[in-house]
Amino acid sequence: MTFLNQKYLTLTPYTPGEQVDEQEYIKLNTNESPYVPAPGVQEAVAEASQKLNRYSDIAVEVVAKPLAQYLGVKQEQLFLGNGSDEVLSYIFQGFTEKGIAFPDVTYGFYQVYSGLYQVDATVVSLNEDFSLDLKEYDELKGTVIFANPNAPTGIYLSQEGICEFLERHPDRLVVVDEAYIDFGGKSMVSLIDQYKNLLVVGTFSKSRQLAGARLGFGVGNTELIADLNRLRFSLNPYNVNSLTQAAGGAVLQEQAYVDQKIQETIQVREWSKQELTKLGFEQTDSQGNFLFAKHPKLAGETLFHALREKKILVRWFNQPRTKDYLRITVGTQEQMERLIAVLTTILEGVDA
């Protein structure tokens, strides 16, 4: 017997990356930052922990004010959520009445939320090289959502291509999920005043070292943000807890540290690309904090298990178009050197 509503019995939940003891494993499977938050962030959280007897600020002022200033927008153009996943959840719940379309190889939660909210979803195949062609969406109806740079491919779509689509379809909402934009490409946030049908989603999880804090945001015209808040206040007005607010406000005062770690990640990413190429890997030109690579001599599943045996975790997606690829989070230089050394040994065994 089940008491669950029948319409949810076929729902396939999202499968997150495995969490393990990092004293035993090198963790390159969930696109987290390998760097701890700046000391000022840790101090702010410790101080905020003394006030947990009080509800959090529903306006999230300690984050909203400096974030709006950093992004160059008004506070009323900014929505804050419990991770970008919550922001995306509200979008699927409230802005997909006419359906939604997204790529076949992309962030898995788009498919999950379509099922959860019973949305009419159209999945559009990426090109053979995993690039996104928005012209494929011209004849469809409803909202369009895509990650840029995309995950797990890391491929970036230029502003020009996005703007052309926005102009062709002013009556359709376009959601650009920019979880990885700080590692490559140009954000669409500066164009929200120009395009009323543009909604940009971002996160503090990747470039700002706050995956465990759960803080995300949406940026759009004031009407879009007001509607998002209508949903939030109808469900959970205290959605961003006090410790997360403290962490988010503090990290926005540590931009020099954040920028430094972004540059380190980019440098290690490019070094890793070169080393993988030397080993014979084929890979996309990832602009995220991760790599997407396959080797012609070994199946993705085989490599995934071989690395796990050596205590290195990466992500393998058992889907037809991606089954031979591994998504590898960019770790520290030391971690990536270890990865390359282990891969070298594995491949030597194949060639022997």
Side-chain angles (χ1 to χ4, degrees), residues 93-230:
Q93 181 184 18
F95 297 85
T96 56
E97 185 178 5
K98 297 179 181 179
I100 194 166
F102 48 82
D104 61 334
V105 180
T106 191
Y107 186 34
F109 246 130
Y110 303 160
Q111 189 69 63
V112 173
Y113 284 147
S114 295
L116 178 63
Y117 294 115
Q118 307 289 287
V119 175
D120 182 13
T122 301
V123 179
V124 182
S125 294
L126 293 174
N127 294 328
E128 188 174 347
D129 62 358
F130 295 117
S131 61
L132 171 66
D133 184 358
L134 285 176
K135 291 180 181 177
E136 298 290 330
Y137 295 75
D138 279 342
E139 302 303 317
L140 303 176
K141 296 181 179 180
T143 298
V144 172
I145 185 170
F146 55 91
N148 197 39
N150 193 19
T153 68
I155 295 175
Y156 168 73
L157 180 62
S158 70
Q159 276 191 341
E160 181 181 5
I162 300 172
C163 290
E164 289 175 355
F165 185 84
L166 287 162
E167 290 167 5
R168 290 199 303 271
H169 302 282
D171 58 338
R172 295 174 64 186
L173 179 65
V174 177
V175 182
V176 184
D177 185 352
E178 294 188 341
Y180 302 101
I181 196 66
D182 291 334
F183 302 104
K186 192 173 182 181
S187 174
M188 293 293 292
V189 166
S190 63
L191 301 175
I192 61 166
D193 287 328
Q194 185 174 341
Y195 298 105
K196 303 301 183 184
N197 57 328
L198 171 64
L199 183 57
V200 182
V201 178
T203 181
F204 281 55
S205 293
K206 313 302 181 182
S207 62
R208 291 186 173 89
Q209 303 92 36
L210 291 183
R214 311 309 301 131
L215 182 60
F217 59 92
V219 191
N221 71 68
T222 54
E223 290 80 8
L224 279 172
I225 300 306
D227 287 337
L228 280 170
N229 276 311
R230 183 196 302 258

Side-chain angles (χ1 to χ4, degrees), residues 277-298:
T277 298
K278 292 177 185 177
L279 291 177
F281 279 87
E282 301 170 12
Q283 54 190 314
T284 60
D285 183 21
S286 175
Q287 298 302 302
N289 66 336
F290 55 89
L291 305 167
F292 195 57
K294 69 175 182 178
H295 199 280
K297 294 184 178 181
L298 280 176

Side-chain angles (χ1 to χ4, degrees), residues 14 56 69 113 125 137 183 204 207 234 246 249 252 289 296 304 321 326 352:
Y14 177 72
S56 58
Q69 184 175 8
Y113 284 147
S125 294
Y137 295 75
F183 302 104
F204 281 55
S207 62
S234 299
L252 288 165
N289 66 336
F304 169 78
R321 294 191 66 184
L326 297 179

Side-chain angles (χ1 to χ4, degrees), residues 28-29 74 106 327 350:
L28 306 177
N29 65 328
K74 301 173 184 177
T106 191
R327 192 197 68 189
V350 174

